[in-house]
């Protein structure tokens, strides 16, 4: 067994069996994982409360109250995320997000190309009326790619 | 890429959660590495090598398909 493992196990045993306050040492492996899960659940709960609260308030005809609840949920989410010293997301989470973002952009790209084709064809056929939502959707996708281009350029220059 | 993390972890008598805590990732990440669903970063590979006191080459192995 490597010394690295022995050193790790020694520090784990010390953390488990030494009576000290929680603030005096890092939690054990299982404790740290439980803490990560707790913080993650709390973050998602903040968002859920914000969104559900907003929808409920709008339904009850209190849109401004709903907006306040929504913002409170968003701010609480960021407060938990940034306020804790616990690493809530590791490199695999970041990799998954990167892949999901890429796939989203690829899907948006295909939809954008199809929407543009529909718009051009519809422009040539007077009897075809394009719904405003389709035009709005196309503009939104174009805007998304514009933002992506700007962000990509900034990130590329920073690294 | 092949890896021998599972074998070294078993040899060391560590659970996935223990190893995850030792290298600062989640248990799911260790599980994904062992199942070859995720290739760790250089930093994480070096941390694993430090914990097991093995070279990175002893933990991870290139396969023919990795050159394609």
């Amino acid at each position: 067994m490597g010394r690295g493992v022995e050193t790790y196990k020694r520090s784990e045993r010390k953390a488990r069996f030494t009576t000290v306050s929680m603030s005096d040492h890092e939690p054990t492996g299982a404790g740290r994982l439980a803490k990560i899960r707790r913080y993650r659940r709390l973050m998602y709960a903040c968002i859920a409360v914000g969104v559900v609260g907003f929808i409920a308030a709008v339904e009850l005809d209190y849109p401004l109250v709903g907006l306040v609840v929504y913002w409170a949920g968003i701010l609480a989410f960021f407060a938990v995320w940034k306020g804790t010293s616990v690493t809530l997301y590791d490199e695999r989470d970041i990799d998954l997000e990167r892949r999901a973002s890429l796939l989203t952009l690829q899907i948006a790209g295909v939809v954008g190309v199809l929407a543009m084709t529909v718009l051009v064809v519809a422009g040539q056929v007077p009897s075809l009326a394009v719904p405003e939502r389709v035009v709005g959707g196309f503009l939104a996708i174009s805007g998304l790619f514009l933002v992506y281009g700007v962000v990509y350029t900034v990130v590329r220059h920073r690294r | 890429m092949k890896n021998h993390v599972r074998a070294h972890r078993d040899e060391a008598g560590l659970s996935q959660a223990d190893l995850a805590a030792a290298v600062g990732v989640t248990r799911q990440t260790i599980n994904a590495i062992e199942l070859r669903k995720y290739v760790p970063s250089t930093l994480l590979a070096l941390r694993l090598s430090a914990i097991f006191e093995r070279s990175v080459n002893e933990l991870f192995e290139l396969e023919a398909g990795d050159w394609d």
Side-chain angles (χ1 to χ4, degrees):
Chain A
M1 191 188 302
R3 257 180 307 170
V5 173
E6 283 175 11
T7 310
Y8 169 70
K9 282 190 163 176
R10 238 189 343 264
S11 66
E12 280 287 271
R13 271 199 295 274
K14 197 177 167 194
R16 275 191 186 131
F17 299 114
T18 310
T19 312
V20 286
S21 69
M22 280 305 283
S23 57
D24 288 336
H25 64 77
E26 284 292 302
T28 60
R32 195 182 302 175
L33 288 171
K35 206 171 175 185
I36 289 171
R37 280 198 203 103
R38 205 163 51 237
Y39 275 109
R40 277 189 170 193
R41 280 194 200 120
L42 185 61
M43 284 167 66
Y44 297 136
C46 290
I47 292 288
V49 167
V51 172
V52 172
F54 174 73
I55 293 168
V58 168
E59 287 297 315
L60 294 170
D61 215 17
Y62 292 105
L64 286 179
V65 174
L67 206 57
V68 170
V69 174
Y70 177 76
W71 268 100
I74 298 288
L75 292 176
F77 173 88
F78 280 104
V80 174
W81 182 20
K82 297 293 176 188
T84 175
S85 58
V86 178
T87 307
L88 296 173
Y89 295 95
D90 67 14
E91 60 176 53
R92 185 170 146 270
D93 294 308
I94 294 165
D95 184 59
L96 291 172
E97 278 178 14
R98 188 181 57 79
R99 286 180 193 207
S101 304
L102 183 65
L103 193 58
T104 305
L105 270 181
Q106 286 171 342
I107 292 168
V110 170
V111 172
V113 167
L114 291 176
M116 193 192 76
T117 309
V118 168
L119 287 177
V120 170
V121 170
Q124 301 300 311
V125 183
S127 58
L128 267 181
V130 180
E132 277 186 20
R133 282 186 180 180
V134 174
V135 178
F138 176 69
L139 290 177
I141 289 174
S142 304
L144 176 72
F145 274 93
L146 189 68
V147 171
Y148 172 77
V150 172
V151 172
Y152 181 87
T153 308
V154 170
V155 170
R156 193 177 168 180
H157 279 281
R158 275 190 180 174
R159 298 193 84 168
Chain B
M1 190 168 71
K2 230 198 244 179
N3 76 74
H4 307 287
V5 172
R6 173 75 195 266
H8 284 93
R9 182 173 63 74
D10 284 343
E11 191 189 318
L14 291 175
S15 67
Q16 286 187 340
D18 285 336
L19 182 58
V23 295
V25 296
T26 60
R27 189 194 60 75
Q28 285 86 346
T29 297
I30 297 296
N31 189 47
I33 292 169
E34 289 183 356
L35 294 175
R36 298 169 64 177
K37 286 182 180 171
Y38 175 65
V39 177
S41 67
T42 312
L43 181 67
L44 182 51
L46 287 168
R47 283 183 184 171
L48 289 166
S49 105
I51 283 290
F52 293 127
E53 293 204 325
R54 308 276 176 164
S55 70
V56 173
N57 279 345
E58 285 177 273
L59 294 178
F60 300 96
E61 216 176 297
L62 279 176
E63 291 178 298
D66 292 325
W67 293 97
D68 298 334

